[in-house]
Amino acid sequence: MSSLPASSRPGHKVLLGISAGIAAYKSAMLARLLKQAGCEVRVVMTEGAQAFITPLTLQALTGEPVRTSLLDPEAEAGMGHIELARWADTILIAPATADLMARLAAGMADDLLTTLCLASQSRKVMAPAMNQAMWSHPATQRNAARLAEDGWRLLGPASGDQACGDVGPGRMLEPEAILEALLALFQAPEAAGLAVTITAGPTREPLDPVRYLSNHSSGKMGYALAEAAAELGARVTLISGPVSLPCPAGVERLEVETAVEMHEAAQRLAPESDLFIGCAAVADYRAESAAEHKIKKVEGEEELVLRLVKNPDIIAAVAALPTEHRPLVVGFAAETRDLATYARDKLARKGLDMIVANDVSREGLGFGSDHNAALLLWRSGDGGVDQESLDPQPKREMAGAVIRRALACLARPPSR
Ligand code: C5P
């Protein structure tokens, strides 16, 4: 049995989803552990799950009726499915089968559990469980990555003996381990009430009415940070260069084009912010003056000279605000070598509190990709610099780690 505190988050509402895997027999123990930890628990089972464990067992353990169907007029008359979706603080699916993962990754709503997942804005966690070959299959791996991008937290699977006789990855984590991971998530720092401003995407510097200087930034990392901060309850404003991403739920977006526009917006918003994250790929230079009319090719002239002037360093200007108006400032550094050395230098030179250094020479990571790896460096309380290395992971997960670290820095008395 778990040695965790009896009531670490009283009243936390957990909707336990159970799908059709043999590990479903362990869900009974999980329901019991959740109750013992002080959570309110309601159970939804897929049709197939009921072949492995009966709704009655879960009803007896939770003291609540178990829902199994979307089209049950009696149950809908009690607590409708949308109401149930709103009720949950967390949806925890254990076990999550390959089939359920595929349906969720595709955004389907073809039974009660998948419908609730689509309708709910709660925290979403799943513990996959399946045969090792099914887990390793590229389709399942693709679905797992998609679900992580969509904000699902995947716990496990563990590796070991399987009910089917195979050995390998695919075992559901033990109920105690699932509970422990869940409680750690509940205890993550909250950002309720904090004002967070994030710059994201590229800037576009006009040369004439039809041409501009820009870069390949997709904005994905900045948008993932905005989503992660909003999920923790922060009031988030995204100052975004031109990207093709939808604005994350609950985030206010200010669309800008040039570095100067981004700088002006940052100067306006930063003094009102608790945390400022500069994630934009700002063009270092702009045309001294954009031509009023389209620049024409000139017969016989093989060269065109453009005169560029330096753009403001947006993040350095925020970091230089007077202390009473200065938020905690987090910057990014894209490097191809000597990550730690260059990042430390940038931290000091720009007067930042924290820096997220990416090695952009690593294939499949960084610019345009959905994945990233990074070295985080931040000023420690004693005037030194601490660091943490983040392994390659979906940008959405990395965003959560960056925000959590920034919140931990904010919670410390300022040493700057
Ligand atoms: O100097 P470098 O471009 O490598 O620094 C990257 C960091 O500085 C990022 O956080 C980026 O958003 C920020 N930056 C900025 N304004 C600039 C150039 C970079 O805010 N003009």
Side-chain angles (χ1 to χ4, degrees):
M1 288 293 286
S2 168
S3 58
L4 289 158
S7 184
S8 30
R9 188 76 177 247
H12 196 91
K13 300 183 177 81
V14 179
L15 197 154
L16 176 62
I18 305 178
S19 61
I22 179 59
Y25 80 93
K26 295 186 182 174
S27 307
M29 178 57 86
L30 181 57
R32 198 165 139 71
L33 291 177
L34 287 166
K35 290 280 288 182
Q36 283 178 342
C39 300
E40 288 181 45
V41 184
R42 283 172 187 260
V43 175
V44 171
M45 299 174 72
T46 64
E47 197 184 334
Q50 298 165 61
F52 292 92
I53 184 168
T54 71
L56 194 60
T57 305
L58 276 308
Q59 181 177 316
L61 289 169
T62 60
E64 297 286 346
V66 172
R67 295 284 306 263
T68 54
S69 163
L70 186 56
L71 308 171
D72 177 347
E74 208 174 302
E76 282 291 304
M79 189 190 258
H81 64 277
I82 297 294
E83 229 178 308
L84 190 55
R86 290 197 188 119
W87 171 86
D89 297 319
T90 298
I91 294 183
L92 166 65
I93 301 184
T97 59
D99 174 69
L100 183 67
M101 289 177 68
R103 287 188 290 132
L104 288 171
M108 288 171 71
D110 55 352
D111 65 3
L112 178 61
L113 186 52
T114 48
T115 303
L116 289 169
C117 291
L118 268 194
S120 174
Q121 294 184 330
S122 68
R123 171 193 285 118
K124 300 200 181 72
V125 185
M126 66 167 65
M130 65 199 73
N131 163 270
Q132 53 83 23
M134 291 171 80
W135 171 254
S136 305
H137 194 284
T140 306
Q141 289 303 303
R142 209 164 44 232
N143 292 332
R146 166 64 63 88
L147 289 165
E149 274 161 37
D150 288 351
W152 281 89
R153 180 65 67 108
L154 273 65
L155 305 178
S159 219
D161 292 340
Q162 301 207 294
C164 53
D166 279 6
V167 179
R171 282 170 60 92
M172 187 172 89
L173 289 192
E174 293 303 325
E176 287 82 356
I178 295 176
L179 180 70
E180 194 167 344
L182 201 67
L183 295 181
L185 284 181
F186 294 168
Q187 280 152 9
E190 296 261 335
L194 292 182
V196 177
T197 299
I198 301 171
T199 67
T203 65
R204 219 177 242 187
E205 312 296 336
L207 299 175
D208 68 17
V210 295
R211 303 187 181 93
Y212 55 79
L213 289 174
S214 191
N215 59 64
H216 288 298
S217 168
S218 64
K220 283 178 183 167
M221 191 65 218
Y223 275 58
L225 287 163
E227 202 176 319
E231 235 172 53
L232 290 173
R235 282 182 290 117
V236 185
T237 310
L238 248 183
I239 309 176
S240 175
V243 296
S244 56
L245 298 171
C247 184
V251 170
E252 189 177 334
R253 176 163 63 176
L254 250 172
E255 293 178 48
V256 297
E257 293 236 328
T258 65
V260 168
E261 286 169 10
M262 190 174 270
H263 177 60
E264 284 167 3
Q267 284 292 298
R268 199 156 31 80
L269 289 168
E272 311 294 324
S273 304
D274 300 291
L275 170 62
F276 180 92
I277 307 181
C279 190
V282 184
D284 290 327
Y285 292 89
R286 66 180 182 277
E288 186 174 40
S289 58
E292 192 182 340
H293 297 289
K294 188 176 168 194
I295 300 170
K296 292 286 183 199
K297 266 197 300 260
V298 179
E299 231 11 76
E301 282 192 14
E302 297 307 313
E303 287 179 3
L304 169 71
V305 178
L306 289 172
R307 192 172 171 78
L308 303 179
V309 294
K310 216 174 200 160
N311 269 327
D313 191 316
I314 300 169
I315 203 166
V318 171
L321 284 170
T323 316
E324 65 276 22
H325 294 303
R326 186 188 183 282
L328 187 98
V329 185
V330 179
F332 274 71
E335 307 292 349
T336 52
R337 62 196 170 98
D338 297 336
L339 211 58
T341 315
Y342 285 121
R344 256 170 203 269
D345 173 63
K346 204 163 285 184
L347 186 77
R349 197 161 29 85
K350 298 200 183 213
L352 310 178
D353 301 296
M354 176 174 150
I355 194 155
V356 185
N358 305 124
D359 181 350
V360 287
S361 68
R362 293 174 70 173
E363 211 171 309
L365 299 176
F367 256 26
S369 160
D370 291 327
H371 285 68
N372 224 348
L375 183 68
L376 303 188
L377 297 167
W378 66 94
R379 290 177 199 276
S380 56
D382 58 8
V385 174
D386 284 342
Q387 68 179 58
E388 178 188 357
S389 173
L390 301 178
D391 291 336
Q393 55 193 290
K395 283 184 175 172
R396 185 61 190 71
E397 262 176 48
M398 173 156 298
V402 170
I403 296 286
R404 282 194 295 280
R405 174 57 60 198
L407 292 179
C409 290
L410 254 182
R412 230 185 32 219
S415 60
R416 49 186 192 274

